[in-house]
């Protein structure tokens, strides 16, 4: 190969290498551009979400603390508002009216002390904590007493669906109380109160109905109602206070400062202890209610999939079929349930994780064989036939009585038609002579029926007196005219009607 060709070949190699290097550089530049774009997009999304969700800049700390402390005291008008709201809620629960219950929630002042508990723990204010707990306890006692008196003294009271719905809390009540408390305290911390949010939380968390239901349980001696309702109220109270505590901590509300460092440390420890005391039952309540909800969910699925779908089983549903405390499933059936079926249900129960350690108790009427059921059916048909015969006989008697009444009414009408009437011309002339203030006189006999069965004959006189007569004088003249007509017509009763 010549030196010239060798030189040219090296130039070609150099050109290829340069092109490859340019391509690699272009790829790197594109990667850097993509990274920059991704970082810019991430920064934009982060900025957008921060502006969308951050509410710290819109918080008025001093006004929030002042407003919450202002709503804590319970006296005077606030006490009467609470009593009135309890009465309204109790009437709504008794009448099974959701609208009335909602109205009672809107006027209830129970939120103040609960927010005060959360605030005082968050800022280490022991004095406010004491005041909040005392006012909350006073409100609870007054509410229970008012509801107790209403349901104890009111004559019409029964277990309505509105009352029943406040006796067994589940996981949804816990979530409603917590997120409702979050919405409430966020609305409270915002510059300018959002009244619609506060009203909505008052409705959602439903503090009033559980207290009224507890009062109903006391009035009726139903401790299951009382315990379930107070459990629901306690859940709502704890989780609203917990939500308040968390939000105020996130917003970094200023801790209350004490001149005495020892007092400050002691107060801080007390507040922390109360916070832990509130947190422990809140967590325990959440986990307990969550597990109860799981038990109930699996039980409902077991009944739906394994029992109700089986045409050979006649299930009688009852409220206490699932007993979580004793971990038993006490099921009742009409008719006989074979041993094979019971074994099958026991095996199917193992497929439901939360029910695997529950004892399945089958209550079936094994003495009810098919033959005995047929005998009972035959007896029922015979009873129906006898009742049909009795009804036919009574129907015949009713028709005969109706015919007799019709004949009697016809006789009365005929007698009234054929009776010799008094001469009207003579009667009207004598009436004008005896009562010269008469300007109009009419007389007739009329048939009437008060029960639409029996018919009576009544005598009616229509009159019109001179306008110049006073009402008292007209009444006297009508009494005299009534006596005179009774004597002339030989009747016991005459009605005077003034035209």
């Amino acid at each position: 190969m010549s030196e010239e060709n060798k030189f040219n070949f090296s130039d070609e190699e150099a050109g290829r290498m340069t092109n490859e290097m340019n391509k690699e550089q272009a790829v790197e530049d594109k990667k850097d551009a993509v990274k920059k774009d991704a970082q810019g997009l991430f920064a934009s999304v982060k900025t957008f979400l921060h502006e969308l969700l951050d509410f710290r800049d819109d918080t008025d700390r001093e006004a929030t603390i002042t407003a919450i402390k202002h709503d804590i005291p319970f006296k005077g008008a606030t006490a009467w508002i609470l009593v009135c709201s309890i009465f309204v809620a109790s009437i709504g629960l008794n009448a099974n009216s959701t609208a009335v219950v909602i109205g009672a929630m809107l006027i209830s002042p129970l939120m103040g002390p609960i927010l005060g508990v959360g605030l005082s723990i968050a800022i280490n204010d022991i004095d406010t904590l004491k005041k909040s707990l005392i006012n909350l306890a006073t409100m609870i006692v007054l509410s229970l007493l008012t509801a107790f008196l209403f349901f104890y003294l009111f004559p019409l009271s029964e277990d309505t669906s509105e009352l029943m719905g406040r006796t067994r809390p589940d996981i949804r009540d816990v979530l409603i109380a917590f997120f409702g408390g979050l919405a409430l305290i966020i609305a409270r911390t915002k510059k300018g109160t959002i009244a619609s949010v506060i009203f909505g939380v008052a409705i959602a968390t439903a503090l009033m109905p559980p207290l009224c239901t507890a009062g109903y349980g006391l009035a009726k001696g139903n401790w299951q109602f009382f315990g379930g309702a107070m459990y629901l109220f306690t859940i709502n109270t704890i989780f609203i206070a917990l939500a308040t505590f968390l939000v105020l901590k996130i917003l970094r509300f200023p801790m209350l400062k004490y001149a005495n460092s020892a007092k400050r440390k002691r107060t801080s420890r007390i507040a922390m202890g109360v916070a832990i005391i509130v947190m422990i039952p809140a967590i325990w309540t959440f986990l307990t209610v969550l597990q109860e909800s799981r038990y109930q969910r699996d039980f409902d699925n077991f009944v739906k999939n394994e029992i109700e779908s089986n045409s050979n089983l006649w299930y009688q549903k009852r409220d206490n079929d699932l007993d979580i405390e004793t971990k038993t499933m006490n099921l009742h059936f009409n008719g006989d349930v074979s041993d094979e079926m019971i074994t099958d249900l026991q095996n199917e129960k193992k497929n439901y994780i939360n029910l695997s350690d529950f004892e399945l108790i089958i209550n079936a009427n094994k003495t009810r064989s098919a033959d005995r059921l047929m005998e009972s059916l035959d007896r029922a048909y015979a009873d129906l036939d006898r009742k049909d015969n009795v009804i036919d006989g009574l129907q015949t008697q009713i028709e005969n009585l109706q015919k007799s009444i019709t004949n009697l009414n016809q006789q009365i009408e005929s007698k009234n038609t054929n009776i010799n009437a008094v001469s009207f011309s003579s009667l009207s002339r004598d009436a004008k002579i005896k009562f010269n203030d008469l300007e109009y006189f009419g007389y007739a006999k009329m048939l009437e029926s008060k029960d639409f069965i029996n018919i009576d004959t009544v005598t009616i006189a229509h009159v019109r007196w001179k306008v110049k007569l006073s009402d008292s004088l007209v009444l006297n003249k009508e009494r005299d005219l009534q006596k005179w007509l009774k004597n002339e017509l030989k009747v016991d009763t005459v009605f005077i009607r003034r035209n």
Side-chain angles (χ1 to χ4, degrees):
M1 185 180 292
S2 64
E3 291 294 331
E4 184 177 356
N5 291 337
K6 194 174 183 180
F7 179 78
N8 292 336
F9 179 77
S10 298
D11 288 343
E12 291 177 359
E13 285 289 335
R16 273 201 304 270
M17 292 178 64
T18 302
N19 291 334
E20 290 178 358
M21 292 177 63
N22 291 335
K23 289 180 180 178
E24 290 178 358
Q25 184 64 38
V27 171
E28 291 295 330
D29 292 341
K30 287 182 180 179
K31 288 182 179 179
D32 292 339
V34 171
K35 288 181 180 179
K36 290 181 181 179
D37 291 341
Q39 291 175 354
L41 177 62
F42 177 75
S44 300
V45 172
K46 183 179 179 181
T47 302
F48 172 75
L49 292 176
H50 182 271
E51 293 177 353
L52 177 66
L53 301 176
D54 186 26
F55 57 94
R56 288 175 294 183
D57 296 336
D58 198 23
T59 300
D60 191 341
R61 292 174 174 79
E62 294 183 1
T64 300
I65 295 174
T66 302
I68 293 177
K69 288 184 176 181
H70 180 267
D71 292 338
I72 293 174
F74 178 72
K75 58 183 178 180
T78 309
W80 283 108
I81 292 172
L82 178 65
V83 171
C84 293
S85 63
I86 287 290
F87 272 118
V88 173
S90 299
I91 294 171
L93 293 172
N94 180 262
N96 208 29
S97 173
T98 304
V100 176
V101 175
I102 290 175
M105 298 179 200
L106 292 177
I107 61 177
S108 167
L110 276 171
M111 287 291 188
I114 299 175
L115 294 181
V117 171
L119 170 70
S120 58
I121 296 174
I123 65 174
N124 289 351
D125 191 344
I126 296 300
D127 293 334
T128 301
L129 178 61
K130 292 179 181 178
K131 186 184 298 184
S132 300
L133 292 175
I134 291 173
N135 282 279
L136 179 61
T138 305
M139 283 187 172
I140 293 173
V141 172
L142 182 59
S143 300
L144 289 175
L145 179 61
T146 305
F148 169 80
L149 291 176
F150 173 81
F151 286 111
Y152 185 78
L153 299 176
F154 193 68
L156 302 176
S157 59
E158 57 184 9
D159 298 349
T160 62
S161 60
E162 286 288 337
L163 286 168
M164 296 290 290
R166 270 83 184 187
T167 59
R168 191 172 182 82
D170 59 23
I171 189 63
R172 290 167 292 188
D173 296 298
V174 175
L175 297 177
I176 289 171
F178 181 72
F179 288 106
L182 285 179
L184 178 61
I185 189 59
I186 291 172
R188 275 293 191 186
T189 58
K190 179 179 171 59
K191 295 178 181 178
T193 302
I194 308 177
S196 60
V197 174
I198 297 174
F199 292 155
V201 172
I203 295 171
T205 53
L207 290 168
M208 296 292 295
L211 285 178
C212 295
T213 304
Y216 174 80
L218 288 176
K220 301 302 177 182
N222 191 331
W223 297 108
Q224 183 179 0
F225 268 43
F226 175 78
M230 288 305 297
Y231 185 31
L232 176 58
F233 176 78
T234 303
I235 288 175
N236 290 338
T237 301
I238 289 176
F239 278 90
I240 291 172
L242 177 62
T244 303
F245 170 81
L246 294 176
V247 170
L248 297 185
K249 281 297 185 183
I250 292 173
L251 294 177
R252 298 179 182 178
F253 268 52
M255 306 288 284
L256 191 63
K257 296 181 180 179
Y258 295 92
N260 189 332
S261 60
K263 183 178 180 181
R264 183 181 69 253
K265 292 180 181 179
R266 185 172 65 254
T267 302
S268 178
R269 290 172 182 171
I270 293 174
M272 184 59 64
V274 173
I276 294 173
I277 292 173
V278 172
M279 286 287 291
I280 290 175
I283 296 172
W284 178 82
T285 298
F286 179 83
L287 295 177
T288 301
V289 174
L290 178 61
Q291 186 59 44
E292 289 179 356
S293 300
R294 289 172 176 171
Y295 288 144
Q296 190 65 47
R297 180 197 62 198
D298 278 8
F299 176 74
D300 292 338
N301 291 333
F302 175 77
V303 171
K304 179 181 179 181
N305 299 330
E306 312 301 337
I307 297 177
E308 292 180 348
S309 61
N310 192 333
S311 59
N312 295 321
L313 294 175
W314 188 358
Y315 173 54
Q316 288 184 333
K317 187 175 182 180
R318 301 186 181 183
D319 294 335
N320 58 348
D321 284 349
L322 180 67
D323 193 334
I324 296 175
E325 294 182 0
T326 60
K327 287 200 170 183
T328 56
M329 296 165 56
N330 203 342
L331 306 182
H332 296 77
F333 296 91
N334 286 327
D336 189 14
V337 179
S338 64
D339 293 336
E340 293 79 6
M341 185 64 69
I342 295 176
T343 303
D344 182 64
L345 291 176
Q346 294 281 5
N347 294 330
E348 294 295 341
K349 178 177 68 70
K350 298 177 182 178
N351 296 328
Y352 298 85
I353 299 175
N354 295 296
L355 302 178
S356 58
D357 57 344
F358 273 65
E359 180 185 2
L360 180 61
I361 301 174
I362 302 296
N363 298 280
N365 194 350
K366 296 185 178 181
T367 60
R368 286 265 175 160
S369 62
D371 293 338
R372 294 195 177 185
L373 287 174
M374 291 300 299
E375 291 176 2
S376 300
L377 187 60
D378 291 338
R379 285 196 299 271
Y381 281 136
D383 290 339
L384 288 174
D385 291 338
R386 283 195 296 271
K387 290 178 181 178
D388 288 339
N389 293 333
V390 172
I391 292 173
D392 291 339
L394 292 174
Q395 186 67 33
T396 303
Q397 292 180 8
I398 291 172
E399 292 176 356
N400 293 334
L401 287 173
Q402 288 178 341
K403 291 179 181 178
S404 299
I405 293 173
T406 301
N407 292 333
L408 288 173
N409 289 340
Q410 290 175 352
Q411 292 177 10
I412 292 173
E413 293 175 4
S414 175
K415 183 178 178 181
N416 182 73
T417 303
N418 296 331
I419 192 170
N420 294 325
V422 177
S423 174
F424 178 76
S425 59
S426 299
L427 187 67
S428 61
R429 185 174 58 253
D430 294 340
K432 180 62 178 175
I433 294 172
K434 190 171 182 63
F435 303 95
N436 57 1
D437 291 320
L438 274 175
E439 290 187 345
Y440 171 85
F441 175 78
Y443 151 75
K445 289 185 177 291
M446 184 179 71
L447 299 179
E448 70 171 7
S449 176
K450 297 179 180 178
D451 56 2
F452 301 98
I453 297 176
N454 300 310
I455 298 177
D456 295 323
T457 303
V458 295
T459 303
I460 299 176
H462 292 270
V463 299
R464 185 172 65 246
W465 302 92
K466 292 182 179 179
V467 179
K468 66 180 182 179
L469 296 179
S470 63
D471 290 339
S472 58
L473 185 59
V474 168
L475 290 174
N476 291 330
K477 287 182 176 293
E478 285 181 351
R479 281 196 294 268
D480 294 337
L481 176 62
Q482 188 177 39
K483 292 179 181 178
W484 179 75
L485 287 173
K486 287 180 182 180
N487 184 57
E488 291 293 321
L489 299 174
K490 302 297 188 293
V491 294
D492 295 328
T493 304
V494 175
F495 292 99
I496 304 295
R497 292 188 179 176
R498 195 184 309 169
N499 291 336

